[in-house]
Amino acid sequence: MRTYETYENISDIYMYLDPNVFSQTHRSYIVNLEKVSHITPRNETYLVYFLNFDEYAHISKLKIQEVQKQLHDLMVN
């Protein structure tokens, strides 16, 4: 797994990705939902951790329910 840093607008990048697999979890993060191991609350935000990867990403409190639904749908299909 890799992380990518860019100066491009994240919304523009997200338009090219499969919304069934990727989620814009925060204004600064796009997450591959197939690689999520778990999510933990932290203050006013949430942290998403990944399988076989030491880094984490943020999920805004406004997006957590949407991300949880996407993860559920991905697991069901």
Side-chain angles (χ1 to χ4, degrees):
M1 193 160 105
R2 298 179 183 171
T3 60
Y4 296 94
E5 293 184 25
T6 182
Y7 293 104
E8 293 182 59
N9 186 316
I10 200 162
S11 298
D12 293 342
I13 295 169
Y14 185 64
M15 289 186 333
Y16 293 101
L17 300 173
D18 181 350
N20 296 314
V21 178
F22 292 90
S23 179
Q24 185 173 351
T25 61
H26 186 274
R27 64 184 173 158
S28 302
Y29 293 94
I30 296 173
V31 168
N32 181 337
L33 299 172
E34 293 179 335
K35 302 296 182 181
V36 171
S37 70
H38 64 282
I39 298 170
T40 60
R42 181 163 185 210
N43 300 324
E44 295 291 317
T45 189
Y46 294 83
L47 302 179
V48 58
Y49 294 87
F50 304 96
L51 302 168
N52 303 315
F53 198 69
D54 294 332
E55 301 290 326
Y56 60 84
H58 292 267
I59 302 175
S60 72
K61 64 182 180 181
L62 300 174
K63 294 271 191 167
I64 188 64
Q65 289 183 348
E66 177 184 332
V67 172
Q68 288 173 328
K69 182 182 181 330
Q70 287 177 292
L71 284 168
H72 176 266
D73 292 348
L74 188 63
M75 292 167 68
V76 170
N77 292 329

